[in-house]
Amino acid sequence: MPQDLLISADSHVNVHHRDVKRHLDPKFHDDYDDGLATLRQMIMASNKPGEEGARAAKAKKNEAYGGPGHFLPDARIKDMDLDGVSAEIMYCEVSAYRYLYKIKNGWKESTRAFNDTLAEFAAYDPTRLITSFQVPIHDIDFAVEEVRRIVELGGKSLQLPVFPTEVGFPDYHDERYDPLWALIEETGLPICCHAGVNLALDGLMRRDPTPGKAVWSVGIVLSLGEAISMWMCSGVLERFPRLKVVFVEPGLSWMTWVLWALDDMAGRQGYDFPVLKEKPSFYFHRNIHLTFQDEMFAVEKLRHEIGVHNMMWSTDYPHPVTSWPHSRQVVENLFGNIPAGDKELLVYGNAKRVWNL
């Protein structure tokens, strides 16, 4: 493996809303703030008193969290150099689609301003800072328009909600999305679905007795099985065979059971999948990719069941589990017992292919 090439398929960038508003006509600033206030009210309503602060304190255990590299591109490059990382695929800490569609006036302008802020960050070094632009799905004509604009800006990564039903819209196999999938397939850009707050698990969050919400956190990861299975089994990847779908932070080991179970249903158990020409796992191995941090057991024992072309390593900078600033050492420990060819795919080759780097 070239010692100077290491790509994180999942890292994070934060934005100040003042920077978004710098790209937005002042006549829409009050509406933008009202949309944010609505989102904050929803977050507060789903938490017990003090929980949000406790999770924030946990996140800040790593010194990079909230530091200059979290917000500023020049500082980020310095942190990457310290870590020995060549490039990062970055997801914004702010889920813009959760509030952009709540803005009454200027939501299109606010969407562009948000993505322009991400583009400004990436422009500092577009070969190393790969930001994922957020595409709201409540207006497909506008989503298509925005994807075209992102391509013109030089964007390489698209982020969509994991669960479209969470924001009141049909699952992704619905024909309303077909114009969007057709364009994205044409561009060759990946669709990235990052694990995050799942509003369907609000009840679990409230019932979780652990201070750090560990039960809820595991539930969020496992709930991705619903979204991944929808992509595999619903026929959308039959209709759009060149789509690339990345699930970010799902972990690996549990996916082997999902793949086995769905194929077993399609075979031995006799479940009917009328819209599929192949078994469900075929669409996973052809179209879907997963990011991970340090699951040594899955890397050593399960990579062929999951697919060495479907797995991509990440630092998760600057979250609590991040390997920063010791990623080179972590990589050597994690991949020390697997063949060099597999290692190259997992730490940079697959990411280069998926994001057309």
Side-chain angles (χ1 to χ4, degrees):
M1 182 186 91
Q3 290 302 307
D4 60 345
L5 200 56
L6 192 62
I7 299 175
S8 170
D10 171 32
S11 298
H12 295 271
V13 61
N14 213 343
V15 297
H16 290 295
H17 290 291
R18 65 171 181 265
D19 291 326
V20 177
K21 290 163 75 172
R22 183 163 48 82
H23 292 280
L24 182 64
D25 190 315
K27 69 181 181 181
F28 297 121
H29 285 189
D30 288 344
D31 292 291
Y32 184 88
D33 291 340
D34 288 344
L36 278 179
T38 301
L39 174 64
R40 292 188 181 111
Q41 289 171 3
M42 290 175 58
I43 294 173
M44 293 299 293
S46 66
N47 289 307
K48 295 178 182 177
E51 286 182 346
E52 194 66 22
R55 283 199 296 278
K58 177 177 179 290
K60 292 178 181 178
K61 285 183 178 179
N62 187 286
E63 63 181 89
Y65 191 92
H70 205 177
F71 292 91
L72 303 174
D74 56 341
R76 181 56 159 268
I77 291 294
K78 291 178 182 177
D79 279 355
M80 291 167 63
D81 288 343
L82 178 64
D83 204 24
V85 171
S86 308
E88 292 185 331
I89 316 301
M90 291 177 288
Y91 303 89
C92 189
E93 305 285 10
V94 180
S95 295
Y97 68 82
R98 291 183 184 275
Y99 71 92
L100 288 174
Y101 78 104
K102 296 181 181 296
I103 296 175
K104 295 180 180 179
N105 299 303
W107 67 266
K108 291 182 179 180
E109 292 82 358
S110 296
T111 299
R112 296 188 190 103
F114 187 93
N115 283 331
D116 285 346
T117 305
L118 294 176
E120 184 178 58
F121 184 95
Y124 184 84
D125 190 339
T127 65
R128 300 186 68 185
L129 305 176
I130 314 300
T131 50
S132 295
F133 295 88
Q134 298 198 12
V135 182
I137 60 171
H138 60 292
D139 185 315
I140 297 301
D141 289 340
F142 176 75
V144 167
E145 178 184 323
E146 184 63 2
V147 168
R148 289 198 178 105
R149 194 181 75 91
I150 288 166
V151 172
E152 292 176 358
L153 289 172
K156 296 181 179 297
S157 188
L158 304 172
Q159 183 177 357
L160 275 71
V162 178
F163 301 102
T165 55
E166 194 176 47
V167 288
F169 296 96
D171 288 298
Y172 285 140
H173 60 82
D174 191 277
E175 63 182 13
R176 79 184 290 270
Y177 301 104
D178 284 4
L180 181 60
W181 303 152
L183 174 61
I184 293 176
E185 188 178 55
E186 179 184 330
T187 68
L189 300 184
I191 297 166
C192 301
C193 298
H194 195 296
V197 175
N198 182 347
L199 297 181
L201 298 178
D202 281 357
L204 175 59
M205 177 190 286
R206 287 188 287 269
R207 291 185 290 110
D208 187 350
T210 65
K213 299 303 172 187
V215 177
W216 173 75
S217 297
V218 170
I220 285 179
V221 171
L222 294 181
S223 74
L224 293 178
E226 172 192 331
I228 296 172
S229 297
M230 280 287 189
W231 279 97
M232 292 167 60
C233 299
S234 65
V236 63
L237 297 176
E238 188 74 69
R239 302 198 308 274
F240 299 96
R242 292 181 289 114
L243 285 179
K244 294 179 288 189
V245 185
V246 180
F247 280 88
V248 187
E249 290 190 23
L252 298 174
S253 301
W254 65 279
M255 187 52 53
T256 58
W257 180 86
V258 173
L259 296 173
W260 171 83
L262 289 174
D263 282 357
D264 191 57
M265 291 174 189
R268 181 181 65 87
Q269 297 187 46
Y271 279 62
D272 192 15
F273 293 86
V275 295
L276 302 185
K277 295 179 180 178
E278 307 286 347
K279 59 185 181 181
S281 66
F282 170 86
Y283 303 95
F284 175 87
H285 290 123
R286 187 185 66 184
N287 299 93
I288 297 175
H289 308 81
L290 311 175
T291 75
F292 68 98
Q293 280 87 52
D294 55 2
E295 291 183 64
M296 183 173 289
F297 175 81
V299 168
E300 292 187 352
K301 306 296 185 182
L302 301 175
R303 68 184 182 279
H304 294 297
E305 286 75 10
I306 300 167
V308 292
H309 292 88
N310 302 88
M311 301 159 54
M312 298 182 290
W313 171 84
S314 68
T315 67
D316 200 26
Y317 172 105
H319 290 176
V321 299
T322 184
S323 54
W324 183 89
H326 308 294
S327 290
R328 287 282 170 181
Q329 179 182 342
V330 169
V331 164
E332 290 307 313
N333 293 338
L334 182 61
F335 300 99
N337 294 325
I338 71 169
D342 287 358
K343 177 180 178 181
E344 290 176 7
L345 288 173
L346 300 180
V347 302
Y348 74 86
N350 291 333
K352 282 186 64 176
R353 170 176 51 85
V354 169
W355 280 280
N356 309 303
L357 303 181

